Every structure is written in C-alpha cells, then in structure tokens.
Amino acid sequence: MIGLISATAAGAAARDRLAAAWPDRTRVYEGPVGDAVRTAFAQCEQLVCFLATGAVVRLVAPLLSGKTEDPGVVCVDEGGRFAVSLLGGHAGGANELAREVGDVLGAEPVVTTATDAVDLAGLDTLGLPVEGDVAGVSRALLDGEAVALRAEVAWPLPPLPVAEEGSYTIRLTDRLVETAEREAVLRPPTLVVGVGASKGAPVEEVLGLVRDALREAGLSVASVAELATVDAKAEEAGIVEAARRLGVPLVTYSAGELAGIDVPNPSDAPLAAVGTPSVAEAAALVGGGELLVPKRKSAASPAMATCAVVRRPGRGRLAVVGLGPGARDLLTPRAKAELRRASVLVGLDQYVDQIRDLLRPGTRILESGLGAEEERARTAVEEARKGQAVALIGSGDAGVYAMASPALAEASDDIDVVGVPGVTAALAAGAILGAPLGHDHVSISLSDLHTPWEVIERRVRAAAEADIVVTFYNPRSRGRDWQLPQALGILAEHRAPRTPVGVVRNASRPDESSRLTTLGALDPATVDMMTVVTVGNTATRDIAGRMVTPRGYRWQSAQEGSE
C-alpha cells in the first residue's frame, strides 16, 4: 500500500489526483502531518509526501531502521513540478514510484541513485538476493573498473559492463559459498525442493529437513524457487507454513502427473497413501533438471517428512520487439523496457541505429545487414539458449512481415519467449491518411522473394472479390517493378477508378510524405520499398482530403442515393 500525505490545499489536490488514479494502491492519511507520516511509515510499503523534502527528512529520520526494511519515500513539491525519490530508491522501489507519480501528475522524476544516474542496472534491482560487497562492486562498475562475472549457473541477467578478469567480481551461484573480498554474490532461483509429509507433520520438522538438506549439499536457501508436492498435500499445514517462512510459492501436482516421472527411489508407501510411488523426488523433477539431493527423510522418529532438491537449468529469455514505424514517440514503453532489460541485442543494422541510445552500458550488440533474417533469428535463439536475456528487434510489429515468425520457428520450449507489439506500417499510414481501415482490411506483401507470385496474385484476387481494403507492403523496388501494376489491375476489375488510394512514404519519420489519389490515377512509378499503398473498398470515400472507410454499408447506400 502507498500512503499519501499532504499539508496544504495544493498538495491535497495533487494527492487526490493520485488517489483517484490508483484507488486500489493508495491510502490517504489525514490529520497532523507528523502523525500521518509516522503512521503511514509503519503501515505502508511506500509513501508519497506532498511536502518539502527537508520537512520529510526531519519527520522520517527518527523512524529509519535499515535499507531493506524502510519503505520507499517520494516527495512532490507544492507546484507538482518534481517527484523526488528521497528514500529507498532501490530496495523500497522509490525510484520507479517517482517515475510512476511523474507520469500521473506530469511531474519530472528526480532520481539521484548513482547507478540510475548513469543508466546502470543496480545489483540490488535485479530481482535476485545479493550478498557481499555490493557497495564496493557497484562503485567499481560506476568508476569503470574491471569487474569480472563468474556465472556458475546460467541465468538471464540484464546488461552489466563486466570483463573476463577484474579486481572485483560478481558471482552468480546457487551454492553456499562465503563471499570473498571485493565480491558480490547473486542468488538465482534455480533450486526446486520437492517435499512429502505425513498428516500433521510439524512445520519445524519440514523446514528443518529442507534447510539441513540444502546446507549439507552446499546449496543456498536463498536460491530456492519453490516447494513442490502432490495435490493431496496442498493444505498440509506443515508444508504450507514451511513455504511461507521460506518466502517461496507452494506448487502442487496431481498424483497422476507425479506417477509419470521417472525417479531413482520409488516407494510403495506414497503409492498406497496418495497414488504415486514418489512425491518429493517426482515433484522436484516435474520441470526437469539435475537431482542434487535424492529423497531423504527427516531425523525424527518416526520420520514424518521427506524432501529432494533439483537444480533446474536457467531458462534464457527471448523478447521479440517491434520498434514501430520509426518515430521515437511511437516506440512503446514496453518495448523500451525490454531493450533496457536485454543483455544481448540482435537486429538489422539500420534498426539498431534507431535505438542504440536506449541501450544500457554493457549490452552486446549483434547486428547484420539486409537479407540475413534467418541468420538473425537463429543467432537470437542460440543466445537465449545460453541463458541470456535477448532482444530481437524488427520494425513495425515484429510479428508482421518481421522477425517473430523465423525466430519462433527456431525456438523450442527450452527458452521463454515474450512478444512485444509495435505500431505497424499499415496502422501508422492509416492514421496519416484518415481512417482507411475502418472496416475489414488485409495486408499483402508484394515481395515474391519468399512467396511465389502465383500465391500472392491469388490472395490479391480474393481480397478484390471480397471487397476488402488492401494495404500493400513491399510494393515496388528496382528489381520488382511489375508486381504493383498487376495487383492494382486485379483490384480495378472489381473497383471503380475513383476508389481512393493512400500513398504514404516513411510514415512517422522526419521525411514522411503522403498523398491521396485514386485507383485510376495512381502512377506505380512514384512508389518504392519505403512506401505503403492502401487501396480502399467500394465504400471508401475521400472526405475533406481524408481517406475514410465506414464501419457499415448503410452509410454507402445513403451516399449513393444522394448522388
């Protein structure tokens, strides 16, 4: 919950705007400001104070207990000009909260955390437990000193400016190790603990067994991702409470699922009790991985709990990102976030140039020229299979005549794939022309490099006969100058010469140009590969210089009746 505190009428007005925007996230604290701050500080994860920063500093100073315990605090000035991340920038989420508040109120977020200021991913913002000399290693990254990454397990990290060797080290491991001098240890959630328990097993027995098993195997409890068991034990109090104390989810599987898992130590006892010859080992192995700790029983007599530990391989992450038509303000916030998250960027060189300034330091860029689409797709998938966080970029929407199809044809279920939509060329051109896509429409590429012309022609003819608005991609190049005239000729068999046609070149870019013409007047020689051609249907009209296709055909009948 986010506590909101204000002292003046202007502050209360801004406070109320934020409360209205986030009704489920916020709580307004009324009364004397000092009392309100103290109460909110104790009850909320974050605070937004519509007060001077000096006043907030004096109020919260006696309340501070530690970096990981204190809530994040953001201050907004009386004029609503700035949202200042004052306390708990990373651990308390105040940096991101300042940006969110800024979006709602139109205020400028002020973030002074060193890593944020130079656009480095802070070690304490990666979503992983981190130990050791975090401050020293972070300072070394900021100062440009050589910091080595020792990845003992694969995990998709965001970009970090690391080297092969260095006097400082970032160690990525799930093993129980003592941190060395000048070393920060990141704990990825790679371990799955399968648990079984008799009815009424005490939480202390379950939890003690899990912790003993991890410690004796040299594994860190901070890398436990989940506890897993059979459905029949989903409400077993000792297991449920053990998961809660460990701070991990409890995942359950049916007895049938577990019975199908090959395990080294099956037993008749669980088969008779819950219908599967293995609970602990099978539950841990459902998602695959390496069995590090075979089934073991608790030390109590009689033993009421069993556990097994599996290390699941770190799954790489492939984000297929659409960059939109080219204008920076048409690049979506989600696309920007994925570009900043990726440690490896794969793309066409001219598209990489469009967004190079958005990448974080340390991002590895793999770029290539035109005609290497399949190679880029393979490269992106291969990098993701190495456990990397990869962004594969394409113009417009990556799923429309772009990189998503070849990438997903290469990818299997051993990596995570995320699609990030983008504004397509057809949509960008349509917005410039007016509303040509107001009814059914289709996009057809006239490039026969990957599709036989006979297939393209059949699709154009079907669209013509169905009276569907058509947007042509890749309409004409130096080596392909006859396809567009032929496609227009097919449409002309079913549509009048006065049918509106919109021609947009470099939509949304600085050299954008557009014009509205007709099917009979369009000169194909004025079209090139940077152009999108949209041909209306029999209902499309030129209204005040804008291309409009109505949502229904009653409008068409009324127009024709008045002619």
Side-chain angles (χ1 to χ4, degrees):
M1 186 61 65
I2 303 171
L4 305 181
I5 301 103
S6 62
T8 66
R15 176 202 68 192
D16 292 344
R17 285 174 58 197
L18 200 61
W22 299 340
D24 298 327
R25 298 178 60 191
T26 57
R27 179 188 302 161
V28 174
Y29 285 80
E30 304 276 9
V33 170
D35 293 341
V37 169
R38 284 187 287 272
T39 304
F41 198 91
Q43 295 179 347
C44 297
E45 291 82 20
Q46 295 174 318
L47 279 69
V48 179
C49 299
F50 296 84
L51 305 164
T53 54
V56 177
V57 168
R58 286 190 292 272
L59 287 170
V60 302
L63 310 176
L64 301 181
S65 58
K67 181 177 181 179
T68 58
E69 294 83 20
D70 296 330
V73 178
V74 170
C75 288
V76 179
D77 66 290
E78 283 287 295
R81 297 170 300 169
F82 303 104
V84 182
S85 174
L86 183 69
L87 178 70
H90 287 165
N95 291 351
E96 183 57 33
L97 180 60
R99 297 184 182 101
E100 291 185 82
V101 170
D103 288 340
V104 174
L105 301 180
E108 180 72 21
V110 178
V111 176
T112 58
T113 311
T115 50
D116 293 80
V118 296
D119 207 21
L120 283 176
L123 296 181
D124 54 353
T125 67
L126 304 183
L128 304 179
V130 59
E131 309 165 7
D133 188 11
V134 179
V137 174
S138 298
R139 189 163 50 249
L141 289 170
L142 290 167
D143 291 343
E145 296 187 46
V147 177
L149 175 64
R150 291 176 55 194
E152 298 175 10
V153 291
W155 197 260
L157 293 175
L160 294 167
V162 293
E164 292 288 334
E165 300 291 338
S167 55
Y168 290 83
T169 303
I170 298 171
R171 188 173 180 182
L172 184 69
T173 183
D174 56 15
R175 301 205 65 82
L176 191 60
V177 295
E178 293 290 335
T179 57
E181 187 179 359
R182 296 187 170 188
E183 179 180 71
V185 177
L186 293 171
R187 301 292 192 187
T190 54
L191 305 178
V192 178
V193 180
V195 291
S198 302
K199 184 175 179 59
V203 61
E204 290 78 11
E205 184 172 344
V206 176
L207 197 57
L209 172 63
V210 170
R211 287 177 169 159
D212 288 346
L214 292 167
R215 185 183 64 255
E216 292 172 20
L219 300 170
S220 172
V221 69
S223 282
V224 174
E226 62 190 43
L227 294 193
T229 191
V230 67
D231 283 347
K233 296 297 179 180
E235 304 295 328
E236 186 63 48
I239 296 177
V240 172
E241 179 62 14
R244 190 193 69 79
R245 293 191 192 179
L246 290 170
V248 299
L250 176 62
V251 179
T252 64
Y253 303 97
S254 70
E257 288 179 277
L258 298 186
I261 304 296
D262 186 30
V263 298
N265 300 293
S267 173
D268 292 335
L271 180 61
V274 293
T276 173
S278 173
V279 173
E281 287 181 341
L285 285 166
V286 167
E290 178 187 4
L291 183 63
L292 302 180
V293 180
K295 181 182 73 174
R296 59 178 288 174
K297 296 181 180 181
S298 55
S301 182
M304 299 184 72
T306 61
C307 82
V309 183
V310 164
R311 176 188 287 138
R312 286 184 183 169
R315 291 173 64 86
R317 188 175 190 276
L318 173 61
V320 188
V321 181
L323 301 180
R328 179 57 60 84
D329 59 352
L330 291 181
L331 179 66
T332 68
R334 187 178 300 181
K336 291 180 183 177
E338 288 294 346
L339 294 175
R340 292 168 56 77
R341 175 174 180 165
S343 60
V344 179
L345 182 84
V346 182
L348 179 68
D349 47 14
Q350 57 186 284
Y351 297 153
V352 172
D353 288 341
Q354 289 180 21
I355 49 84
R356 196 182 298 269
D357 63 301
L358 297 178
L359 304 178
R360 276 182 157 156
T363 305
R364 185 157 56 95
I365 300 173
L366 304 176
E367 54 188 317
S368 53
L370 287 167
E373 288 83 1
E374 293 181 354
E375 177 188 340
R376 285 195 290 275
R378 283 193 296 270
T379 297
V381 172
E382 288 169 3
E383 290 294 327
R385 284 186 175 136
K386 296 176 185 175
Q388 301 286 347
V390 182
L392 175 63
I393 59 174
S395 67
D397 183 282
V400 180
Y401 304 123
M403 295 305 302
S405 293
L408 268 60
E410 292 285 337
S412 53
D413 63 358
D414 58 344
I415 61 174
D416 295 325
V417 178
V418 177
V420 182
V423 178
T424 67
L427 295 178
I432 293 165
L433 295 170
L437 309 182
H439 206 288
D440 298 335
H441 55 274
V442 63
S443 296
I444 299 176
S445 171
L446 295 183
S447 172
D448 54 1
L449 295 177
H450 300 289
T451 306
W453 176 252
E454 292 77 16
V455 175
I456 298 173
E457 183 177 345
R458 187 165 68 247
R459 292 170 179 171
V460 174
R461 194 170 299 280
E465 294 173 352
D467 196 25
I468 295 176
V469 175
V470 181
T471 297
F472 289 123
Y473 281 70
N474 307 312
R476 183 176 180 275
S477 67
R478 292 180 181 178
R480 296 186 300 99
D481 57 2
W482 57 268
Q483 287 91 337
L484 179 59
Q486 189 161 331
L488 294 173
I490 294 171
L491 292 176
E493 295 174 12
H494 300 269
R495 301 178 194 183
R498 67 175 185 275
T499 301
V501 175
V503 180
V504 180
R505 188 176 190 278
N506 285 333
S508 85
R509 300 183 184 183
D511 55 347
E512 167 191 301
S513 63
S514 65
R515 67 183 189 278
L516 188 58
T517 181
T518 64
L519 186 57
L522 175 62
D523 180 5
T526 63
V527 173
D528 63 13
M529 285 290 287
M530 305 304 293
T531 305
V532 172
V533 178
T534 301
V535 182
N537 64 14
T538 56
T540 306
R541 294 291 184 269
D542 178 344
I543 302 177
R546 301 182 186 92
M547 188 175 177
V548 180
T549 302
R551 293 183 62 186
Y553 283 89
R554 284 178 295 179
W555 178 85
Q556 176 191 9
S557 301
Q559 288 288 316
E560 290 176 347
S562 64
E563 290 178 356

